[in-house]
Amino acid sequence: ARGETPPFGAFFDILKADPKPDRGLMTRLSELADYEMFDGTADFHSLLDGTSPTIIQIHCSPNELLQRAFATFVLHNIYQTMFQRGPQGKITHAIIFDEAHRAAKLKLIPTMAKECRKYGLAFVVASQEVRDFDPSLFPAIASYLALRAHETDAKHLANIMAPSDKVKLYTDRIKQMSKFKAWFHSEGMFSPVSVALSS
């Protein structure tokens, strides 16, 4: 009905019923429909409404297209909800996006990183390589945790974390990092500090 939000499960059916559907869009959505993405019938509330930890495993999805689609839907929902609830006086939720290379090129990630703290969200992204992320993400990052990396990534991280006269030193240190150890750097720090996983 006009003025009402349809259930998520009816979304694809409504688009299919259009007499002149967008063929490109329908081709992409049809692949998602083949993997039953639109089969959910329950109302979905924002993850920001709850206080219990929630894990969403997009890596279990059968292909990269579906992984990006799921990540996009989840992140857009959180992004919209954070604006609806307005600025917060403290951090209320932490979003931890592990294996972020699976959807790291999403343009929403740098945008979200720039704005989320004001709205009470800590946003953590983790991946294997620096190149997994859009370059526009890096100016929005407040804290870095760098594990052992190859030459190119080590140099990139050293340029961000180390004083200009010690970039080569920290490039070598990042390359030679022992297992379960890392370099940590945050806003206001002159140089990174060595940290280790506690047992």
Side-chain angles (χ1 to χ4, degrees), residues 57-73:
Q57 295 182 313
I58 64 168
H59 72 276
C60 295
S61 304
N63 66 36
E64 225 174 280
L65 174 68
L66 202 59
Q67 289 171 2
R68 284 199 304 272
F70 279 136
T72 301
F73 276 109

Side-chain angles (χ1 to χ4, degrees), residues 14-31:
I14 292 169
L15 291 179
K16 281 196 302 185
D18 191 321
K20 295 182 179 179
D22 181 312
R23 288 186 181 180
L25 174 65
M26 294 311 296
T27 298
R28 295 177 69 186
L29 293 181
S30 292
E31 184 171 357

